[in-house]
Amino acid sequence: MTNPSGPHEPQDGIRPAPRQVIASFDDYADAQRLVDRMSDDGFPVEHVRIIGDGLRTIERVTGRMTKSRAAFAGAASGAWFGLFIGLLLAIFTVGPVWIVTMLIALVIGAFWGAVFGFVAHVATGGERDFASVKSLEAQRYDVCVSAEYAAEAARYAS
């Protein structure tokens, strides 16, 4: 759904209060510490925003992805799924049979997870032979406050 009044205008016609930047940081933790300090001193932090500017994705390579590592990761994922299915099936068992039901489901899940992990890695043909973790990070974090509280908030930024 598009907004006929523009990309930054709320659809209900109510304009948000203007905000003023009181501090900028290169690290989110520093911005968070400032807001925490303001909160500890009793400042009405519901009027504070931490705005990330200049977003980028960062992919941290965690290691080489081999066929055995892909199978192991698939087995671990499959074991969790098997455990979940085992728990669902164990609801309908009587006595100590529920433990056997869960273990069988866990083993079957781990086996098929390993098979699918191995096959999926082989199917890529070596195109992506590494494991990684992606995250979003901003280049700058601005701590903004409603204009009516800006003068009081500015004393925390210095």
Side-chain angles (χ1 to χ4, degrees):
M1 186 169 150
T2 60
N3 187 354
S5 58
H8 300 291
E9 293 291 321
Q11 290 184 350
D12 59 6
I14 300 171
R15 297 189 70 138
R19 302 201 177 280
Q20 185 172 343
V21 176
I22 60 163
S24 292
F25 300 96
D26 293 332
D27 186 30
Y28 177 78
D30 293 336
Q32 185 177 341
R33 273 192 284 280
L34 172 62
V35 176
D36 187 46
R37 195 169 67 241
M38 294 167 76
S39 176
D40 291 345
D41 286 350
F43 185 85
V45 292
E46 60 271 11
H47 299 284
V48 177
R49 302 286 184 270
I50 298 175
I51 301 172
D53 191 27
L55 292 179
R56 60 186 173 186
T57 59
I58 297 174
E59 186 171 3
R60 185 174 55 88
V61 177
T62 58
R64 181 170 168 74
M65 181 59 74
T66 61
K67 293 174 187 152
S68 60
R69 188 171 176 184
F72 180 74
S77 178
W80 278 110
F81 184 70
L83 186 62
F84 174 69
I85 297 300
L87 285 170
L88 289 177
L89 292 175
I91 293 172
F92 302 106
T93 61
V94 178
V97 178
W98 69 272
I99 295 173
V100 175
T101 303
M102 284 185 17
L103 288 175
I104 290 172
L106 183 126
V107 169
I108 291 171
F111 172 77
W112 283 109
V115 169
F116 287 129
F118 181 84
V119 170
H121 180 68
V122 169
T124 64
E127 190 171 314
R128 186 175 166 95
D129 282 344
F130 62 91
S132 64
V133 177
K134 289 183 182 179
S135 63
L136 248 162
E137 187 177 286
Q139 292 176 337
R140 184 181 80 236
Y141 297 92
D142 293 334
V143 178
C144 302
V145 179
S146 299
E148 61 200 65
Y149 294 96
E152 182 183 351
R155 67 185 177 95
Y156 292 98
S158 55

